[in-house]
Amino acid sequence: MTQAALITGITGQDGAYLAQLLLNKGYAVSGLLPRRSSDTLWRLRELRIEGDVNLIDGDVADLSAVLRGIRESKAAEVYNLAAQSFVGTSWQQPLLTAQVSGVGAANVLEAIRLTDPAIRFYQASTSEMFGLIQAERQDETTPFYPRSPYGVAKLYAHWMTINYRESFNLHASTGILFNHESPLRGIEFVTRKVTDGVARIKLGLQKELRLGNIDARRDWGFAGDYVDAMWRMLQQEKGDDYVVATGHTTTVREMCRIAFSHVGLSYEDHVVIDPKFFRPAEVDVLLGNPAKAERLLGWTATTSLEQLISMMVDADMRRAREGRPQA
Ligand code: NAP
Ligand code: GDD
């Protein structure tokens, strides 16, 4: 029988790659689609899977809609990727972030419990929960110290997932994913902002790129690799928590150098530091230890930062040449 899955956040970066992965494995894939006045399907179109997924109207903040989505999709696996996921915005919209990125997960867990507790559940947890880091390399045992309303909301969702696993014996897993990027990354995140800027500067469409704290360090991987870890978690005998990371950390400054040099430019000639992009509280450094995921899931990151950034710059050069919107 065909296995069915429901993805909340299917129109996002990870949702699109996960939908593609599950379709390739023969799943019937549904996605919860919140009402928006503008087109949000561009990623599904770029992967040429828009017509292959079943989109069900619904917002994770609305329990009744989530219940309907789970029933209509007949999902045996539910991946909760929906979030207000931009850290910077979470200071401007802390309560919306809490409703969507925090309570949204509780709605999905409740909907599963009420519909069929045998449904397997994945929660998109995040390295942002480590915030002010309490260990040099963060793993599943490292204490959390979130530094943004987004991180706090995600921590609630994380503990609710563990609580439902322990209280109701749900097959519920959390993936504590470190930053992962791709040509489908939203334009507001720093890697894509940089690769888009590099392409536009190279083609003479803009002169400078304004950034905030370029001394921050992140453990960046490729989103296409990371969605595979999500699927692997739900194929285990029991739900559990896993760090998914590359095990390398790099400054935003070095990432800029890689991106500009890919097209023969120097970042020092174009990057301008703008206080507007500094955050009220910063996560200075993230560095994950993915040993557990490697050991138990057989998962490993396969894409280097150089390969990732080159792929993103090339995609943005193509988009800029074709005059396509920045998406
Ligand atoms: P993303 O591109 O921002 O995608 C977020 C998705 O959530 C979009 O499809 C968005 O739809 C949807 N969404 C927003 N509000 C919603 C609502 N109220 N109801 C239903 N759907 C809603 O994020 P991503 O990079 O793919 O990340 C996927 C998940 O992993 C997120 O939960 C994120 O917080 C988490 N995560 C990401 C990373 C990373 O580095 N990428 C790392 C760790 C954890 P619209 O586009 O229509 O708003
Ligand atoms: N966005 C952005 N824009 N970030 C900048 C800029 C800028 O102009 N200049 C410097 N930065 C720094 C930020 O201050 C941060 O330290 C770092 O670049 C990365 O910022 P983002 O790319 O916005 O990602 P993030 O680390 O805050 O959050 C992402 O990763 C989390 C996992 O650790 C998001 O995808 C979250 O949803 C995810 O949970």
Side-chain angles (χ1 to χ4, degrees):
M1 211 179 80
T2 311
Q3 182 90 317
L6 175 70
I7 303 173
T8 74
I10 193 167
T11 58
Q13 170 188 257
D14 292 7
Y17 282 118
L18 179 64
Q20 183 183 49
L21 177 125
L22 295 177
L23 287 168
N24 287 340
K25 290 185 185 295
Y27 281 69
V29 177
S30 296
L32 205 63
L33 189 69
R35 161 94 185 114
R36 300 285 190 257
S37 59
S38 57
D39 173 38
T40 55
L41 300 180
W42 67 273
R43 294 183 175 93
L44 299 177
R45 263 197 297 278
E46 281 221 12
L47 298 182
R48 298 177 201 280
I49 56 171
E50 187 188 0
D52 302 330
V53 294
N54 171 37
L55 298 173
I56 301 170
D57 285 346
D59 190 301
V60 285
D62 179 346
L63 175 61
S64 64
V66 179
L67 273 167
R68 202 166 43 76
I70 289 178
R71 284 176 191 155
E72 271 186 39
S73 65
K74 299 189 170 58
E77 296 177 8
V78 175
Y79 296 84
N80 183 40
L81 310 185
Q84 187 305 94
S85 78
F86 185 46
V87 172
T89 288
S90 75
W91 279 279
Q92 264 71 54
Q93 299 189 301
L95 302 181
L96 175 97
T97 303
Q99 283 303 326
V100 176
S101 311
V103 176
N107 283 334
V108 181
L109 285 161
E110 261 303 89
I112 289 175
R113 189 174 72 88
L114 295 169
T115 308
D116 176 4
I119 293 171
R120 297 184 173 198
F121 175 75
Y122 172 82
Q123 169 58 20
S125 287
T126 163
S127 51
E128 182 72 15
M129 300 185 309
F130 293 122
L132 187 62
I133 55 165
Q134 304 292 300
E136 199 180 324
R137 296 186 79 201
Q138 301 90 55
D139 66 17
E140 296 79 6
T141 65
T142 306
F144 299 115
Y145 193 139
R147 293 273 282 170
S148 62
Y150 165 80
V152 174
K154 281 284 186 176
L155 195 51
Y156 168 77
H158 181 78
W159 280 113
M160 283 298 278
T161 305
I162 295 171
N163 181 262
Y164 270 54
R165 182 166 76 217
E166 294 176 353
S167 305
F168 305 117
N169 204 24
L170 292 194
H171 191 297
S173 292
T174 67
I176 307 173
L177 270 53
F178 283 61
N179 298 49
H180 46 280
E181 322 291 314
S182 74
L184 301 186
R185 188 58 145 152
I187 198 79
E188 64 274 37
F189 300 94
V190 75
T191 53
R192 179 79 204 290
K193 182 175 171 182
V194 168
T195 61
D196 173 72
V198 164
R200 296 172 63 77
I201 289 168
K202 181 68 180 173
L203 296 177
L205 300 171
Q206 107 188 19
K207 282 199 160 45
E208 61 177 33
L209 179 62
R210 303 185 85 81
L211 296 175
N213 175 19
I214 63 172
D215 293 317
R217 304 180 79 97
R218 288 293 181 275
D219 180 330
W220 279 296
F222 171 48
D225 290 343
Y226 285 40
V227 296
D228 177 47
M230 299 176 188
W231 175 78
R232 286 174 189 247
M233 286 176 215
L234 296 210
Q235 312 317 308
Q236 303 304 301
E237 204 177 311
K238 285 194 160 137
D240 205 343
D241 311 305
Y242 302 90
V243 158
V244 176
T246 68
H248 302 283
T249 190
T250 311
T251 58
V252 174
R253 181 191 300 277
E254 173 63 8
M255 183 270 292
C256 288
R257 192 197 60 71
I258 296 169
F260 278 90
S261 68
H262 185 62
V263 295
L265 297 175
S266 170
Y267 85 91
E268 288 100 330
D269 296 336
H270 302 282
V271 169
V272 175
I273 302 303
D274 185 338
K276 189 169 88 185
F277 296 109
F278 281 74
R279 292 170 179 181
E282 179 61 289
V283 173
D284 293 319
V285 55
L286 289 172
L287 170 60
N289 176 0
K292 179 177 173 182
E294 288 173 357
R295 193 175 71 254
L296 298 182
L297 303 179
W299 178 88
T300 183
T302 60
T303 313
S304 71
L305 185 60
E306 285 74 10
Q307 289 169 324
L308 171 64
I309 296 299
S310 303
M311 185 195 325
M312 292 175 68
V313 172
D314 291 345
D316 280 323
M317 288 290 286
R318 266 195 308 279
R319 287 175 178 137
R321 276 201 194 97
E322 291 165 10
R324 279 194 281 153
Q326 294 175 34

